[in-house]
Amino acid sequence: MKVLCYDCFSGISGDMNLGAMLDLGIELSYLKGELEKLNLGGWELIAEKSQRHGISGTKVTVRQTAHEHAHRHLSDIQKIINGSSLPDEVKGLSMKIFRKIAEAEAKVHGIPVDEVHFHEVGAIDSIVDITGAAICFAALKPEAVFVSEIELGSGFVKCDHGNLPVPAPATAELVRDMPVRTGGVGFEATTPTGAAILSVLGTEFGSTQAVKISRTGYGVGHKDHPEIPNLLRVSLGETVSLSATGHKALLIESNIDDMNPEFYDHVSERLFKAGASDVYFSQIIMKKGRPGVILKVICET
C-alpha cells in the first residue's frame, strides 16, 4: 500500500507542507500551473532551498502582490474554488479542509458555520496553501496517510482576536483525538491550516506499522529554534508485511487448592488426550500461607 508519512516533530503549517511536497518531488511548475486555475490574482509562489541545523529542505513563501482586506465566509471560498478549472477531486478536498477550519472556528466562537469570518485563513496565502495541499495529494495518490505525534509549540500567537495561548483555539479543536505534545519549541509550531490538512488527509495517527521509504522531503519553516530544526519531514513509501514466526496459542491457568497430588497425573493425561499442546504445574503460596498449585494448559486457538 502506497503511504505518505508525516513526521511533525516541529509541527506543521500550510507553507511547510507545500515545501515538503516540492522537496518530495512535486514539480514547482506543475504546482504553479494548477494554482493559476483558481483565477485568483495578487499573489506569487516563491520556493527556495534553505537549511535548518544543517538539514536542507524547501522553504515556500506565498507573497501577496496586491493588498486586500477581505474577510471571507465559507461561501466566498467555495465560489473561488468551485469556480476554478481545477479537477473535481482537488476542489472537493480543498473545500473539505476549509470546512474543517470553519467548523472548528464555529465551535470556538459559538456561531453557525455559515457565519464564520475567515480572517487569516481567508487570506490569499492560506487559500493557496490549502488548495496546494489538495493538488499535491491528488498528484501523489497515496492510499493512506500516517501522521506522527504532532508538536504544537508554546507561548502566545498574535491573531485577529489578539494574543492567544498556543495552541490557538481553532488548532486545539482541530487536533482533537490526535496524538500531540507541547513545549518543544517556543512558538506556534502547528497552525490551524496545518492541523486541518492533517485532520482531513490523515488516516492513521501515531502508527507503528512498518513502511519501506522510497523518498523523503523537508519543508522549512519561517521561524528558527536553537535546538530543534523547524522542519516538516514527509516521506513516501510502501507498507511492509512482516511474516510472523510461530503460531497463535492459548494459555489457560487455574489455581488449585487442597487437591490430592495423586490426581495430577490423571488430570494431565486427560488434558493431553483432549488435544492440549502442553500441561504443567507450578507450586504457589495462596492466601493465609496455604500451599497450592497453578495448573497451566497450552492449546491451539
Side-chain angles (χ1 to χ4, degrees):
M1 179 172 64
K2 187 178 181 182
V3 295
L4 202 58
C5 303
Y6 277 83
D7 186 2
C8 306
F9 61 85
S10 192
I12 178 175
S13 63
D15 51 60
M16 289 170 75
N17 180 67
L18 282 186
M21 294 296 103
L22 292 173
D23 212 53
L24 199 58
I26 298 292
E27 290 290 336
L28 179 60
S29 57
Y30 171 77
L31 178 58
K32 285 183 175 180
E34 291 298 293
L35 285 169
E36 285 172 1
K37 294 178 181 178
L38 285 168
N39 299 315
L40 187 66
W43 63 274
E44 64 175 338
L45 189 69
I46 302 168
E48 56 190 340
K49 281 294 181 181
S50 186
Q51 286 193 354
R52 289 289 184 271
H53 293 229
I55 300 174
S56 177
T58 301
K59 183 169 73 172
V60 165
T61 304
V62 181
R63 191 173 73 86
Q64 288 188 213
T65 57
H67 193 65
E68 64 165 20
H69 292 282
H71 282 188
R72 298 180 173 93
H73 289 85
L74 186 63
S75 58
D76 298 318
I77 303 291
Q78 191 166 12
K79 285 178 184 176
I80 293 170
I81 292 174
N82 287 349
S84 73
S85 55
L86 286 164
D88 289 342
E89 179 187 1
V90 173
K91 290 179 182 178
L93 193 54
S94 300
M95 283 310 304
K96 196 172 180 181
I97 297 171
F98 267 110
R99 180 163 287 277
K100 272 283 184 182
I101 298 173
E103 289 170 351
E105 292 282 4
K107 184 168 184 181
V108 167
H109 299 297
I111 59 175
V113 169
D114 293 338
E115 292 181 14
V116 170
H117 281 278
F118 286 104
H119 304 298
E120 291 87 350
V121 180
I124 286 177
D125 57 345
S126 294
I127 296 173
V128 171
D129 285 342
I130 290 172
T131 310
I135 290 167
C136 293
F137 181 84
L140 291 173
K141 294 181 173 57
E143 298 169 75
V145 176
F146 295 170
V147 181
S148 73
E149 188 178 54
I150 306 161
E151 174 63 51
L152 300 181
S154 62
F156 287 80
V157 58
K158 187 176 181 180
C159 64
D160 200 70
H161 299 287
N163 290 326
L164 297 174
V166 172
T171 302
E173 184 64 29
L174 286 161
V175 297
R176 279 196 311 160
D177 300 323
M178 300 183 197
V180 299
R181 62 172 181 262
T182 59
V185 295
F187 51 80
E188 182 188 34
T190 296
T191 65
T193 297
I197 289 169
L198 294 182
S199 177
V200 171
L201 300 186
T203 56
E204 289 190 38
F205 295 86
S207 174
T208 57
Q209 190 170 347
V211 177
K212 183 179 179 182
I213 300 297
S214 58
R215 284 182 281 164
T216 297
Y218 290 90
V220 179
H222 286 258
K223 296 177 182 176
D224 205 357
H225 191 273
E227 297 177 3
I228 299 172
N230 190 17
L231 299 166
L232 170 66
R233 177 164 52 200
V234 182
S235 301
L236 193 64
E238 298 275 345
T239 52
V240 178
S241 297
L242 300 176
S243 55
T245 58
H247 62 280
K248 290 185 178 180
L250 184 65
L251 174 63
I252 304 172
E253 297 183 357
S254 177
N255 291 356
I256 299 176
D257 183 15
D258 195 24
M259 187 176 84
N260 188 332
E262 293 179 355
F263 294 158
Y264 293 156
D265 283 344
H266 175 70
V267 170
S268 181
E269 183 180 343
R270 291 288 300 272
L271 287 168
F272 276 122
K273 284 184 178 179
S277 300
D278 198 6
V279 178
Y280 57 101
F281 302 87
S282 300
Q283 296 283 348
I284 58 171
I285 300 297
M286 302 181 71
K287 64 181 180 181
K288 297 183 180 180
R290 295 199 308 269
V293 170
I294 301 179
L295 167 63
K296 301 186 180 185
V297 182
I298 297 176
C299 55
E300 302 297 322
T301 58

